[in-house]
Amino acid sequence: MSKKVLFIDRDGTIIKETIDEQIDSFEKMIFYPKCIPFLSKIAQELDFELVMITNQDGLGTASFPEETFWPVHNFIINTYANEGVVFDQVFLDRTFPYENAPTRKPGTGLLTQYFSEEYDLANSYVIGDRLTDVELAKNLGAKAIFINDFTHLGTNEISVKKEELNSCISLETNDWQRIYEFLKLEERTASVSRKTNETDIQIELNLDGTGKSNIQTGLAFFDHMLDQIARHGQMDLTIQVKGDLEVDEHHTIEDTAIALGEVFAKALGNKLGIERYGFCLPMDDCLAQVAIDFGGRNWLVWNAEFKREKIGEMPTEMFYHFFKSFTDGARANLNIKAEGINEHHKIEAIFKAFAKAIKVAVKRDADKMILPSTKGML
């Protein structure tokens, strides 16, 4: 299996940056808050190779004599080693910015050995406090964790516009606990394609997203309901459906639900650390209650009646069928109950409660990555 790497900057990342940007005495050296304990947890609990990559402007010249550098640097390295943080490699570039050396970040000249099948750069990260660290991630084909203390360092050394680097940043923070949790709780993403003679469906899901959605099923009201799952469940969801709507809505709704359930099952993976269970909420005249269990078995209990034949272009008889098909695909239990007067409010409340139930059930605790089952499997 290819190795994942954390390429970690030094100044401003594992120790605090100084005003003159040169750590040449112990008086100047301050460890970055919370870095020692949480980088230690990363080193011991996660499967990353640790590499230090740092620019040290003019090291070995009169402006930065080596005898003032190495005692402090070695102290930093040894302190982290005593806490279980051992760097497999330490790369120092000694050049000044004006030299434009290929070895100086954001250049990759010191890191050519990592461009091989032995390393999984696409799932590796550069952690640093400068935009040059972010551009280094871009040049490596990796992702960036940007420690942003709003110093704006490195802005004048990047070779592209700042806006072009935004897509490389997977996390922006100055909290090492947040970095640890992000790396341990990797984003749970999945995609599913389902093609039959009746439907052609593409779904992409990020359980740890922010609520973004792009949904096109050909049924506007169905799109509106599916959007509730993304928004209120705080997950990113893309659904593209081409169905035989000229026949009727049945195949589009049923097959979308099956594929949606399957993509949830896929994204949840081994289900370590999830809460597993999860909501009731009011919406004007209505009250909807949804309980879910991603326990590996499918079942639906449905207690909701509708007096209208359709809401929008969606037959009300298909609401039950949608959730039943979802439980089949997700291998989950669902218990749904709704009461109220307004039929639109009733089904919208169900979808919102469904989204909230999912949000609760898939939540994870980085310190309790255990399987929520006495059976040993879900």
Side-chain angles (χ1 to χ4, degrees):
M1 183 179 294
S2 298
K3 301 175 187 176
K4 297 184 294 184
V5 185
L6 295 182
F7 299 96
I8 303 174
D9 180 40
R10 197 193 75 160
D11 304 357
T13 301
I14 67 171
I15 61 173
K16 294 287 285 184
E17 185 63 88
T18 60
I19 295 176
D20 62 2
E21 301 179 40
Q22 186 168 295
I23 310 293
D24 52 11
S25 70
F26 285 99
E27 288 76 17
K28 289 183 177 181
M29 200 279 296
I30 301 173
F31 288 109
Y32 202 97
K34 298 167 70 172
C35 183
I36 290 177
F38 285 103
L39 187 51
S40 176
K41 288 171 74 70
I42 289 170
Q44 294 175 53
E45 297 176 17
L46 306 183
D47 188 25
F48 286 98
E49 189 171 298
L50 304 183
V51 172
M52 180 183 289
I53 173 75
T54 175
N55 292 342
Q56 297 296 324
D57 298 9
L59 178 61
T61 67
S63 64
F64 196 178
E66 295 210 31
E67 57 267 26
T68 65
F69 171 80
W70 289 110
V72 180
H73 178 77
N74 290 336
F75 178 76
I76 295 167
I77 295 293
N78 292 334
T79 299
Y80 276 98
N82 288 337
E83 297 300 322
V85 180
V86 177
F87 292 95
D88 294 273
Q89 296 276 2
V90 176
F91 296 102
L92 306 173
D93 181 76
R94 301 162 175 257
T95 65
F96 289 102
Y98 67 84
E99 296 178 69
N100 293 317
T103 54
R104 181 180 177 84
K105 292 187 294 184
T108 60
L110 291 175
L111 304 174
T112 55
Q113 70 192 69
Y114 298 97
F115 291 102
S116 74
E117 293 182 356
E118 185 180 354
Y119 292 98
D120 180 8
L121 291 179
N123 290 302
S124 298
Y125 293 87
V126 177
I127 306 178
D129 67 314
R130 296 174 180 243
L131 289 178
T132 46
D133 295 304
V134 178
E135 188 176 358
L136 175 64
K138 178 179 181 293
N139 293 339
L140 287 169
K143 294 171 279 192
I145 295 176
F146 182 33
I147 295 182
N148 191 358
D149 284 319
F150 301 99
T151 60
H152 307 292
L153 294 173
T155 303
N156 60 347
E157 288 191 65
I158 57 176
S159 63
V160 297
K161 293 182 179 179
K162 180 181 177 182
E163 291 72 24
E164 294 181 42
L165 298 176
N166 290 336
S167 62
C168 300
I169 300 174
S170 295
L171 176 65
E172 185 170 332
T173 184
N174 60 3
D175 185 341
W176 268 95
Q177 181 175 351
R178 179 72 185 92
I179 294 173
Y180 160 72
E181 291 173 349
F182 171 80
L183 291 173
K184 186 163 186 177
L185 304 179
E186 291 182 296
E187 286 188 342
R188 295 166 292 178
T189 60
S191 62
V192 163
S193 298
R194 178 183 173 86
K195 189 170 185 178
T196 69
N197 291 334
E198 298 153 341
T199 58
D200 186 353
I201 299 171
Q202 308 290 326
I203 299 182
E204 296 178 1
L205 172 67
N206 179 357
L207 282 177
D208 304 297
T210 58
K212 295 180 291 187
S213 66
N214 180 9
I215 299 170
Q216 297 178 29
T217 66
L219 297 168
F221 185 75
F222 191 31
D223 293 351
H224 180 48
M225 291 301 98
L226 294 171
D227 184 59
Q228 306 304 314
I229 298 174
R231 298 295 175 88
H232 295 280
Q234 292 187 337
M235 61 194 76
D236 297 340
L237 185 60
T238 298
I239 302 176
Q240 302 293 317
V241 183
K242 295 178 181 177
D244 57 353
L245 295 177
E246 70 279 2
V247 177
D248 74 1
E249 304 86 354
H250 187 105
H251 298 140
T252 291
I253 296 169
E254 178 183 40
D255 289 5
T256 298
I258 293 171
L260 186 63
E262 289 174 348
V263 82
F264 268 92
K266 191 174 179 180
L268 282 168
N270 60 22
K271 302 179 183 177
L272 286 177
I274 68 168
E275 293 293 333
R276 180 177 168 181
Y277 305 102
F279 211 87
C280 81
L281 61 78
M283 184 172 178
D284 297 334
D285 57 293
C286 301
L287 179 66
Q289 302 175 67
V290 177
I292 194 167
D293 174 15
F294 286 105
R297 299 180 303 277
N298 58 301
W299 196 266
L300 174 65
V301 175
W302 177 263
N303 190 357
E305 295 182 359
F306 296 88
K307 298 175 183 178
R308 289 167 55 181
E309 180 183 354
K310 285 188 173 183
I311 300 178
E313 292 301 314
M314 190 169 177
T316 54
E317 68 179 10
M318 290 303 298
F319 296 144
Y320 167 87
H321 208 62
F322 171 85
F323 289 104
K324 175 62 172 66
S325 297
F326 176 88
T327 65
D328 292 341
R331 298 187 295 280
N333 289 179
L334 263 179
N335 192 304
I336 296 176
K337 179 180 179 180
E339 54 190 32
I341 300 171
N342 186 290
E343 305 292 75
H344 183 126
H345 289 169
K346 194 184 298 180
I347 190 58
E348 186 165 343
I350 287 174
F351 269 90
K352 287 179 177 177
F354 176 59
K356 288 292 189 181
I358 291 174
K359 180 184 176 184
V360 171
V362 303
K363 182 180 178 181
R364 294 176 297 175
D365 185 335
D367 293 324
K368 299 176 182 177
M369 294 296 284
I370 59 174
L371 196 68
S373 172
T374 57
K375 298 180 185 299
M377 65 177 293
L378 285 178

